[in-house]
Amino acid sequence: MPERRLKDAERLVEAIGIPPRPEVVMALMAEKDKDKPDLKLVAEAISRDVGISAALFKAVNSPFFGVQSIPQAVNLLGLSRIATLVTSLALKTSLKDPGIERFWDQSAHIAMLCAWLAGKLGHDQDSAHLFGLFRDAGIPLLMRRYPDYKQTLALINEGGGENGFTAVEDAHYGVNHAIVGGIVARNWNLPERLREAIQRHHDPDLFRSEADASVKNLVAIGHMAGQIESLHTRNQDDGEWLRYGESIMAWLMLGEDEVEDFTQEAGSLLLDSWR
């Protein structure tokens, strides 16, 4: 991305106001970087944040995890998985504006599918889950800034974005949610491969570029998750899958039959999440 355009985007994002990385996330990441992390300190840091600890307890107390306390969750699930869950919950809490519940429901489904697909394809599930949640984090921030942004989204969803999702945003606002999301990821100190994948997940040249394979894997898995979610919730193809599906299948070395199998198998996963 040209340096001038990035600086313009950073000024715009600064005006919107990126939520600061919560203290609990900083504490977890600090422990995660240590050779011998202290899980007791991790549990204590989570417990000090009432909102995050309540949301985490609700998540880990579900039948999927089957645990009943924060210390038990940290010990059973491990620091990597707990850090992913806490970071995800912190993002949602920080951007929990009224009227966008449907956006977060969709993001949660896509993040879940990203992790599931990553496991199926032999990639890191925690990174895929974080990517799935953060990749569209720029959308609620643009909603805060521009009163007509929801109408722009409706135009894109109705097929008005022939040149691509971010091209419509750029034409309207001079910035797009992928750039904004990349800046959020950088400010939250997410790994560089995640930041680049978020910033480039609508880049039509990505799979022809020299980008790291891990970046391409994340973007490919994210688009496949978006396609699966769209087929199951709206009974239609995702617009970005129609643009990039062939390139994604070629990169992941998958055929249409295999994608169809994943789509069918994911149905029960999504059904469980809706109960």
Side-chain angles (χ1 to χ4, degrees):
M1 180 190 302
E3 185 69 21
R4 181 176 178 180
R5 188 181 179 204
L6 180 59
K7 288 189 177 298
D8 288 343
E10 288 173 340
R11 282 193 289 270
L12 175 62
V13 170
E14 185 176 344
I16 297 171
I18 284 186
R21 187 171 58 148
E23 183 179 342
V24 62
V25 175
M26 291 190 284
L28 261 66
M29 294 306 176
E31 286 300 317
K32 191 177 178 182
D33 289 340
K34 294 179 180 178
D35 292 334
K36 294 182 179 180
D38 188 329
L39 297 186
K40 182 180 178 181
L41 289 179
V42 169
E44 290 174 352
I46 296 170
S47 298
R48 284 196 298 270
D49 190 308
V50 176
I52 294 297
S53 60
L56 180 63
F57 182 74
K58 181 179 179 180
V60 300
N61 197 33
S62 69
F64 182 78
F65 291 107
V67 296
Q68 300 179 345
S69 70
I70 298 299
Q72 184 185 4
V74 172
N75 282 283
L76 183 64
L77 299 179
L79 184 54
S80 181
R81 180 59 54 85
I82 284 293
T84 298
L85 284 170
V86 168
T87 304
S88 300
L89 292 168
L91 177 69
K92 184 175 180 179
T93 301
S94 298
L95 298 177
K96 199 171 185 178
D97 295 341
I100 62 169
E101 291 79 8
R102 183 179 175 184
F103 166 82
W104 284 116
D105 287 343
Q106 183 180 27
S107 293
H109 293 152
I110 289 175
M112 176 184 65
L113 288 169
C114 282
W116 179 76
L117 286 168
K120 290 285 186 181
L121 296 170
H123 301 299
D124 181 61
Q125 291 181 277
D126 290 330
S127 292
H129 185 274
L130 277 180
F131 170 72
L133 197 72
F134 271 81
R135 71 167 194 162
D136 291 328
I139 288 177
L141 286 169
L142 289 175
M143 285 182 182
R144 285 182 181 178
R145 176 68 174 180
Y146 301 108
D148 69 335
Y149 185 76
K150 285 188 177 181
Q151 286 71 39
T152 302
L153 282 182
L155 171 68
I156 294 168
N157 291 331
E158 290 168 4
E162 292 83 0
N163 295 322
F165 194 144
T166 52
V168 176
E169 293 175 313
D170 285 332
H172 279 73
Y173 311 113
V175 72
N176 62 67
H177 76 278
I179 293 174
V180 174
I183 296 171
V184 173
R186 185 195 64 194
N187 286 9
W188 279 48
N189 288 339
L190 295 188
E192 174 60 23
R193 67 183 183 282
L194 281 174
R195 186 208 60 77
E196 184 177 353
I198 291 164
Q199 185 170 302
R200 300 189 65 181
H201 74 275
H202 289 290
D203 182 352
D205 298 320
L206 175 65
F207 294 102
R208 298 191 296 270
S209 74
E210 296 183 358
D212 191 84
S214 64
V215 172
K216 296 178 182 179
N217 288 335
L218 287 169
V219 173
I221 287 170
H223 281 305
M224 192 183 304
Q227 166 71 347
I228 291 172
E229 193 273 342
S230 183
L231 288 173
H232 281 287
T233 60
R234 294 180 292 281
N235 198 32
Q236 65 183 35
D237 289 309
D238 179 69
E240 298 302 280
W241 180 260
L242 294 176
R243 292 185 179 90
Y244 307 126
E246 289 187 8
S247 297
I248 289 165
M249 288 189 289
W251 171 255
L252 294 175
M253 294 184 289
L254 296 174
E256 291 184 4
D257 289 345
E258 291 167 295
V259 174
E260 175 64 22
D261 288 343
F262 282 139
T263 301
Q264 294 299 324
E265 190 177 351
S268 59
L269 187 71
L270 285 169
L271 184 61
D272 287 343
S273 72
W274 292 329
R275 288 174 179 168

